[in-house]
Amino acid sequence: MDRMSATDAGFYFAESEKTPMHVGSVAVFEGPAPSYGDVVRLLVSKLPRVPRYRQRVRPVPLHLGRPLWVDDEHFQVLYHVRHTAVPAPGGAEQLRNLAGRVLGQRLDLAKPLWEAWLVEGLEQGRWALISKVHHCMVDGVAGTDLMQMIFDTEPVAAPPEVADWRPRPEPSTAAVLAGTVQETVVRPARRLASPSGLGLVAQAPRALLRTGSAVTAGLLPALARQLATPVARGLNGPLGPHRRWSWTETSLDAVKQVRAGLGGTVNDVVLTAITRGFRDLLDSRGELADGLVVRSMVPVSVRREHEHDTLNNQVSAVFVDLPVAEPDPIARLASVRRQMDEHKRLLDALDARSIVAMGDFVAPTLLALGTRAAVRAGQPFSQAVTTNVPGPRVPLYVAGRRLCALYPYVPVAAGLRVSIGIFSYLRAMTFGINADFDAFPDVEVLADGICAGMQELVELASDPSR
């Protein structure tokens, strides 16, 4: 049976009426737009390579086990592929408004968890493809691989061939329950009793000692510093049912110029530019104060190179204090860089992959209840999610039309009312900003501030008198 991992199940259980848990994107292409039928046939031809797209989630009774993936015997691609258009003049504002409404709507949990919207009417004869995929199905890095499967890497692709598909029979309730017992009780016990399991037990004291030393030496002091730091709590709060979505963009050349001139990694530079965005936002609201930070959760992939064709989530996270009260951009970069370096050392010491894998031994019922409770209760510890996904460095095409730009969409949940997805494609880097509609009427201030933050870093990096 194809059972969800603990991480994937956590994303599935986090879904609620006001908390859609899908990731997404808006891809803009050169014109003219293909016909709706051509898009449908193209996607159908790619489905054999991504079987999850014809599977739905089957929960286990009473959440005694993690949910299963089963073939949808009533799968209908026309339900998942939609067709619409933007009003004139078809500029960025019209596309953002449409995408905000589409991406803010929940997926139907009784069907395969994805949608694709063909959007016509863009200026300059362009068109767009809005895509949505539930987070329980794919994380950001796997999503990049999935995009490369669906899109073509050549402008002239072979005509799509639609293969016959027959759904596999769905397992009976008795088989599901028997498999659940096998998965949650028998298999872990056998694994523990195996030579490799016994070896793991023998090494456990040493591993615990190493982990304990790392926690004592690094994690606890870092956590204590974060708890003592004032955060911008006005960014936290309950979520409504609607979303505002915006974007801004820069170039990878600009990011690399800053990295070469001022130091740090691409992530360090990007987070520093985002810090300026939040600084401008809080300043415009009259909420900027000395010593204030915006704490962002930064997902970190723990996927190995040979695992890039798998569609389950393999991700951990760190928390970075964005120094919004610091007026000096170079000092802001130094602060972000110091924190990210510290997190890298701690993740190496703690073995993030092992921490993620430990979730497989959490009782599924407790996982369901705990995830839902955490999402509904919210949390004041962090104020944002910021995730950077490197995309392909080669041009992509759909139906012979070249992809011009791609803007990412990351969900918000658990009292976090704003998220920022960063995506790089060819020599461009885009920032997709998703925010609660009621809490962020000024989302454009954040977007403009990120752009201004990159510009000031580029100017400083190129200033010979610095």
Side-chain angles (χ1 to χ4, degrees), residues 231-239 274 277-279 281-283 285 287 292-296 322 324 379-380 382-385 412-420 435-436 439-440 442 446:
V231 296
R233 299 193 185 276
L235 301 180
N236 295 92
L239 293 169
I274 291 172
F278 278 113
R279 175 181 171 85
L281 178 76
L282 294 172
D283 189 35
R285 295 181 176 185
E287 298 175 5
L292 196 68
V293 302
V294 170
R295 184 165 298 132
S296 179
L322 305 180
V324 293
Q379 52 75 47
S382 59
Q383 290 72 54
V385 175
V412 291
L416 299 178
R417 299 196 286 192
V418 62
S419 66
I420 302 175
D436 179 77
F440 276 82
D442 48 0
L446 175 57

Short mmCIF file of all heavy atoms in Angstrom, two decimals, residues 231-239 274 277-279 281-283 285 287 292-296 322 324 379-380 382-385 412-420 435-436 439-440 442 446:
data_model
loop_
_atom_site.label_atom_id
_atom_site.label_comp_id
_atom_site.label_asym_id
_atom_site.label_seq_id
_atom_site.Cartn_x
_atom_site.Cartn_y
_atom_site.Cartn_z
N VAL A 231 9.73 40.38 19.05
CA VAL A 231 9.31 40.09 17.68
C VAL A 231 8.09 40.94 17.32
O VAL A 231 7.38 41.43 18.20
CB VAL A 231 8.97 38.60 17.49
CG1 VAL A 231 10.21 37.74 17.69
CG2 VAL A 231 7.86 38.17 18.43
N ALA A 232 7.85 41.09 16.03
CA ALA A 232 6.73 41.90 15.53
C ALA A 232 5.45 41.08 15.60
O ALA A 232 4.99 40.52 14.61
CB ALA A 232 7.01 42.35 14.11
N ARG A 233 4.86 41.01 16.79
CA ARG A 233 3.69 40.14 17.01
C ARG A 233 2.45 40.62 16.26
O ARG A 233 1.50 39.86 16.09
CB ARG A 233 3.40 40.03 18.50
CG ARG A 233 4.56 39.43 19.29
CD ARG A 233 4.15 39.04 20.71
NE ARG A 233 5.31 38.59 21.48
CZ ARG A 233 5.79 37.35 21.44
NH1 ARG A 233 5.22 36.47 20.64
NH2 ARG A 233 6.83 37.00 22.16
N GLY A 234 2.46 41.86 15.79
CA GLY A 234 1.32 42.33 15.04
C GLY A 234 1.12 41.61 13.72
O GLY A 234 0.05 41.72 13.10
N LEU A 235 2.15 40.85 13.28
CA LEU A 235 2.03 40.09 12.05
C LEU A 235 1.35 38.75 12.25
O LEU A 235 1.01 38.07 11.28
CB LEU A 235 3.42 39.88 11.42
CG LEU A 235 4.20 41.15 11.08
CD1 LEU A 235 5.55 40.79 10.47
CD2 LEU A 235 3.41 42.03 10.12
N ASN A 236 1.20 38.32 13.50
CA ASN A 236 0.52 37.06 13.80
C ASN A 236 -0.97 37.30 14.04
O ASN A 236 -1.38 38.40 14.38
CB ASN A 236 1.11 36.41 15.06
CG ASN A 236 2.55 35.97 14.87
OD1 ASN A 236 3.46 36.73 15.17
ND2 ASN A 236 2.74 34.77 14.38
N GLY A 237 -1.75 36.24 13.90
CA GLY A 237 -3.17 36.36 14.20
C GLY A 237 -4.00 35.33 13.45
O GLY A 237 -3.47 34.54 12.66
N PRO A 238 -5.30 35.33 13.68
CA PRO A 238 -6.18 34.37 13.00
C PRO A 238 -6.26 34.65 11.51
O PRO A 238 -6.11 35.78 11.06
CB PRO A 238 -7.53 34.58 13.69
CG PRO A 238 -7.47 35.98 14.22
CD PRO A 238 -6.04 36.21 14.61
N LEU A 239 -6.47 33.58 10.76
CA LEU A 239 -6.57 33.68 9.31
C LEU A 239 -8.02 33.75 8.86
O LEU A 239 -8.89 33.07 9.43
CB LEU A 239 -5.90 32.47 8.64
CG LEU A 239 -4.38 32.36 8.80
CD1 LEU A 239 -3.91 30.99 8.32
CD2 LEU A 239 -3.69 33.46 8.03
N ILE A 274 14.57 40.67 1.94
CA ILE A 274 13.24 40.50 2.54
C ILE A 274 13.15 41.26 3.86
O ILE A 274 12.10 41.80 4.21
CB ILE A 274 12.93 39.00 2.71
CG1 ILE A 274 12.73 38.36 1.34
CG2 ILE A 274 11.71 38.78 3.60
CD1 ILE A 274 12.61 36.85 1.36
N GLY A 277 12.05 44.60 3.21
CA GLY A 277 10.61 44.63 2.94
C GLY A 277 9.79 44.70 4.20
O GLY A 277 8.86 45.51 4.32
N PHE A 278 10.12 43.86 5.17
CA PHE A 278 9.38 43.88 6.44
C PHE A 278 9.66 45.16 7.22
O PHE A 278 8.77 45.66 7.93
CB PHE A 278 9.74 42.65 7.28
CG PHE A 278 8.99 41.41 6.89
CD1 PHE A 278 9.65 40.33 6.33
CD2 PHE A 278 7.62 41.32 7.09
CE1 PHE A 278 8.96 39.19 5.96
CE2 PHE A 278 6.92 40.17 6.73
CZ PHE A 278 7.59 39.11 6.16
N ARG A 279 10.87 45.68 7.11
CA ARG A 279 11.18 46.94 7.78
C ARG A 279 10.29 48.06 7.25
O ARG A 279 9.69 48.82 8.03
CB ARG A 279 12.66 47.29 7.57
CG ARG A 279 13.08 48.65 8.13
CD ARG A 279 14.57 48.91 7.86
NE ARG A 279 14.91 50.29 8.18
CZ ARG A 279 15.23 50.72 9.39
NH1 ARG A 279 15.24 49.87 10.40
NH2 ARG A 279 15.54 51.99 9.61
N LEU A 281 7.41 47.72 5.77
CA LEU A 281 6.02 47.43 6.13
C LEU A 281 5.72 47.89 7.54
O LEU A 281 4.71 48.59 7.79
CB LEU A 281 5.76 45.93 5.99
CG LEU A 281 4.36 45.46 6.36
CD1 LEU A 281 3.36 45.81 5.27
CD2 LEU A 281 4.34 43.94 6.63
N LEU A 282 6.58 47.51 8.50
CA LEU A 282 6.34 47.89 9.89
C LEU A 282 6.48 49.39 10.09
O LEU A 282 5.74 49.99 10.88
CB LEU A 282 7.32 47.13 10.80
CG LEU A 282 7.12 45.61 10.85
CD1 LEU A 282 8.26 44.94 11.61
CD2 LEU A 282 5.79 45.27 11.50
N ASP A 283 7.41 50.01 9.38
CA ASP A 283 7.58 51.45 9.49
C ASP A 283 6.33 52.18 8.99
O ASP A 283 5.88 53.16 9.60
CB ASP A 283 8.81 51.88 8.69
CG ASP A 283 9.18 53.34 8.93
OD1 ASP A 283 9.00 53.82 10.08
OD2 ASP A 283 9.64 54.00 7.99
N ARG A 285 3.39 51.12 9.09
CA ARG A 285 2.30 50.89 10.06
C ARG A 285 2.56 51.58 11.40
O ARG A 285 1.73 51.50 12.31
CB ARG A 285 2.12 49.40 10.30
CG ARG A 285 1.64 48.60 9.10
CD ARG A 285 1.47 47.13 9.47
NE ARG A 285 0.92 46.35 8.35
CZ ARG A 285 0.59 45.06 8.44
NH1 ARG A 285 0.74 44.42 9.60
NH2 ARG A 285 0.09 44.42 7.39
N GLU A 287 4.88 50.60 13.51
CA GLU A 287 5.15 49.52 14.46
C GLU A 287 6.63 49.18 14.57
O GLU A 287 6.99 48.22 15.25
CB GLU A 287 4.36 48.27 14.07
CG GLU A 287 2.85 48.47 14.09
CD GLU A 287 2.10 47.26 13.58
OE1 GLU A 287 2.74 46.23 13.31
OE2 GLU A 287 0.86 47.34 13.45
N LEU A 292 13.70 45.27 17.32
CA LEU A 292 12.62 44.40 16.84
C LEU A 292 13.12 43.50 15.71
O LEU A 292 13.95 43.89 14.90
CB LEU A 292 11.46 45.26 16.34
CG LEU A 292 10.11 44.57 16.14
CD1 LEU A 292 9.52 44.16 17.47
CD2 LEU A 292 9.15 45.51 15.41
N VAL A 293 12.60 42.26 15.67
CA VAL A 293 12.89 41.34 14.57
C VAL A 293 11.59 40.75 14.05
O VAL A 293 10.56 40.75 14.74
CB VAL A 293 13.83 40.19 15.01
CG1 VAL A 293 15.13 40.72 15.57
CG2 VAL A 293 13.14 39.26 16.00
N VAL A 294 11.64 40.26 12.82
CA VAL A 294 10.59 39.42 12.27
C VAL A 294 11.19 38.03 12.13
O VAL A 294 12.16 37.84 11.39
CB VAL A 294 10.10 39.94 10.90
CG1 VAL A 294 9.18 38.91 10.23
CG2 VAL A 294 9.37 41.26 11.06
N ARG A 295 10.65 37.08 12.87
CA ARG A 295 11.22 35.73 12.87
C ARG A 295 10.57 34.92 11.75
O ARG A 295 9.36 34.72 11.71
CB ARG A 295 11.00 35.06 14.22
CG ARG A 295 11.65 33.67 14.33
CD ARG A 295 11.72 33.23 15.78
NE ARG A 295 12.53 34.14 16.55
CZ ARG A 295 12.16 34.65 17.74
NH1 ARG A 295 10.99 34.34 18.26
NH2 ARG A 295 12.97 35.48 18.37
N SER A 296 11.39 34.44 10.84
CA SER A 296 10.89 33.68 9.70
C SER A 296 11.31 32.22 9.80
O SER A 296 12.46 31.91 10.11
CB SER A 296 11.44 34.26 8.39
OG SER A 296 10.99 33.51 7.28
N LEU A 322 14.98 38.12 11.33
CA LEU A 322 15.29 39.17 10.36
C LEU A 322 15.39 40.50 11.11
O LEU A 322 14.39 40.97 11.68
CB LEU A 322 14.19 39.24 9.30
CG LEU A 322 13.89 37.92 8.56
CD1 LEU A 322 12.78 38.13 7.54
CD2 LEU A 322 15.15 37.35 7.91
N VAL A 324 14.89 43.71 11.41
CA VAL A 324 14.19 44.82 10.75
C VAL A 324 14.50 46.17 11.40
O VAL A 324 14.35 47.22 10.75
CB VAL A 324 12.67 44.58 10.76
CG1 VAL A 324 12.31 43.39 9.88
CG2 VAL A 324 12.14 44.37 12.18
N GLN A 379 0.54 30.23 16.70
CA GLN A 379 1.74 30.33 17.54
C GLN A 379 2.34 31.71 17.36
O GLN A 379 2.29 32.28 16.27
CB GLN A 379 2.72 29.22 17.19
CG GLN A 379 3.07 29.10 15.70
CD GLN A 379 4.02 30.19 15.24
OE1 GLN A 379 5.02 30.45 15.91
NE2 GLN A 379 3.72 30.82 14.13
N PRO A 380 2.93 32.26 18.41
CA PRO A 380 3.53 33.60 18.33
C PRO A 380 5.03 33.59 18.11
O PRO A 380 5.65 34.64 18.05
CB PRO A 380 3.20 34.19 19.71
CG PRO A 380 3.28 33.00 20.62
CD PRO A 380 2.82 31.81 19.81
N SER A 382 7.03 32.61 15.52
CA SER A 382 7.51 33.14 14.25
C SER A 382 6.41 33.92 13.56
O SER A 382 5.23 33.75 13.86
CB SER A 382 8.03 32.01 13.35
OG SER A 382 7.00 31.08 13.10
N GLN A 383 6.80 34.77 12.62
CA GLN A 383 5.85 35.68 11.98
C GLN A 383 5.73 35.48 10.48
O GLN A 383 4.86 36.08 9.85
CB GLN A 383 6.26 37.14 12.24
CG GLN A 383 6.08 37.60 13.67
CD GLN A 383 7.09 36.99 14.61
OE1 GLN A 383 8.30 37.07 14.37
NE2 GLN A 383 6.61 36.33 15.66
N ALA A 384 6.56 34.64 9.89
CA ALA A 384 6.52 34.49 8.43
C ALA A 384 7.16 33.17 8.04
O ALA A 384 7.87 32.53 8.82
CB ALA A 384 7.26 35.65 7.75
N VAL A 385 6.90 32.77 6.81
CA VAL A 385 7.57 31.63 6.18
C VAL A 385 8.29 32.16 4.95
O VAL A 385 7.71 32.91 4.16
CB VAL A 385 6.57 30.53 5.77
CG1 VAL A 385 7.29 29.42 5.02
CG2 VAL A 385 5.85 29.97 6.98
N VAL A 412 -0.15 29.76 3.91
CA VAL A 412 0.01 30.30 5.26
C VAL A 412 -0.86 29.49 6.21
O VAL A 412 -1.91 28.97 5.82
CB VAL A 412 -0.39 31.80 5.33
CG1 VAL A 412 0.62 32.64 4.58
CG2 VAL A 412 -1.78 32.04 4.77
N ALA A 413 -0.42 29.36 7.46
CA ALA A 413 -1.14 28.54 8.43
C ALA A 413 -0.63 28.85 9.82
O ALA A 413 0.37 29.55 10.00
CB ALA A 413 -0.96 27.05 8.13
N ALA A 414 -1.34 28.34 10.82
CA ALA A 414 -0.89 28.37 12.23
C ALA A 414 -0.58 29.78 12.72
O ALA A 414 0.40 29.99 13.43
CB ALA A 414 0.33 27.46 12.42
N GLY A 415 -1.40 30.74 12.36
CA GLY A 415 -1.19 32.10 12.84
C GLY A 415 -0.16 32.88 12.06
O GLY A 415 0.04 34.07 12.33
N LEU A 416 0.50 32.24 11.10
CA LEU A 416 1.43 32.95 10.21
C LEU A 416 0.60 33.51 9.05
O LEU A 416 0.06 32.75 8.25
CB LEU A 416 2.50 32.01 9.68
CG LEU A 416 3.41 31.34 10.71
CD1 LEU A 416 4.39 30.41 10.05
CD2 LEU A 416 4.16 32.39 11.52
N ARG A 417 0.52 34.83 8.96
CA ARG A 417 -0.39 35.43 7.99
C ARG A 417 0.30 35.92 6.73
O ARG A 417 -0.32 36.58 5.90
CB ARG A 417 -1.15 36.58 8.66
CG ARG A 417 -1.99 36.07 9.83
CD ARG A 417 -3.03 37.06 10.29
NE ARG A 417 -2.48 38.17 11.03
CZ ARG A 417 -3.22 39.04 11.73
NH1 ARG A 417 -4.54 38.90 11.77
NH2 ARG A 417 -2.66 40.04 12.38
N VAL A 418 1.58 35.57 6.56
CA VAL A 418 2.28 35.95 5.33
C VAL A 418 3.37 34.91 5.05
O VAL A 418 4.02 34.40 5.97
CB VAL A 418 2.90 37.36 5.44
CG1 VAL A 418 3.94 37.43 6.55
CG2 VAL A 418 3.50 37.79 4.11
N SER A 419 3.52 34.57 3.79
CA SER A 419 4.59 33.67 3.36
C SER A 419 5.21 34.24 2.09
O SER A 419 4.55 34.92 1.30
CB SER A 419 4.06 32.26 3.10
OG SER A 419 3.17 32.26 1.99
N ILE A 420 6.49 33.93 1.90
CA ILE A 420 7.21 34.40 0.72
C ILE A 420 7.90 33.21 0.07
O ILE A 420 8.77 32.58 0.68
CB ILE A 420 8.23 35.49 1.08
CG1 ILE A 420 7.55 36.67 1.77
CG2 ILE A 420 8.97 35.97 -0.17
CD1 ILE A 420 8.50 37.73 2.27
N ALA A 435 -0.57 36.42 1.46
CA ALA A 435 -0.92 37.03 2.74
C ALA A 435 -2.41 36.94 2.99
O ALA A 435 -3.22 36.89 2.06
CB ALA A 435 -0.46 38.49 2.79
N ASP A 436 -2.76 36.92 4.27
CA ASP A 436 -4.17 36.97 4.64
C ASP A 436 -4.78 38.27 4.13
O ASP A 436 -4.20 39.35 4.29
CB ASP A 436 -4.30 36.88 6.17
CG ASP A 436 -5.73 36.95 6.63
OD1 ASP A 436 -6.45 35.94 6.51
OD2 ASP A 436 -6.14 38.03 7.10
N ALA A 439 -5.58 40.98 6.92
CA ALA A 439 -4.44 41.46 7.70
C ALA A 439 -3.41 42.22 6.88
O ALA A 439 -2.60 42.96 7.44
CB ALA A 439 -3.76 40.27 8.40
N PHE A 440 -3.44 42.07 5.55
CA PHE A 440 -2.41 42.68 4.72
C PHE A 440 -3.00 43.48 3.56
O PHE A 440 -2.74 43.17 2.39
CB PHE A 440 -1.46 41.60 4.18
CG PHE A 440 -0.36 41.22 5.13
CD1 PHE A 440 -0.60 40.31 6.14
CD2 PHE A 440 0.89 41.79 5.03
CE1 PHE A 440 0.40 39.95 7.03
CE2 PHE A 440 1.90 41.45 5.91
CZ PHE A 440 1.65 40.53 6.92
N ASP A 442 -1.86 46.17 2.85
CA ASP A 442 -0.66 46.88 2.39
C ASP A 442 0.42 45.91 1.90
O ASP A 442 1.61 46.17 2.02
CB ASP A 442 -0.10 47.74 3.52
CG ASP A 442 0.03 46.97 4.85
OD1 ASP A 442 -0.33 45.76 4.90
OD2 ASP A 442 0.46 47.58 5.84
N LEU A 446 5.26 45.60 1.27
CA LEU A 446 6.25 44.53 1.49
C LEU A 446 6.94 44.17 0.18
O LEU A 446 8.17 44.03 0.13
CB LEU A 446 5.54 43.31 2.08
CG LEU A 446 6.37 42.04 2.27
CD1 LEU A 446 7.58 42.30 3.15
CD2 LEU A 446 5.50 40.92 2.87
#
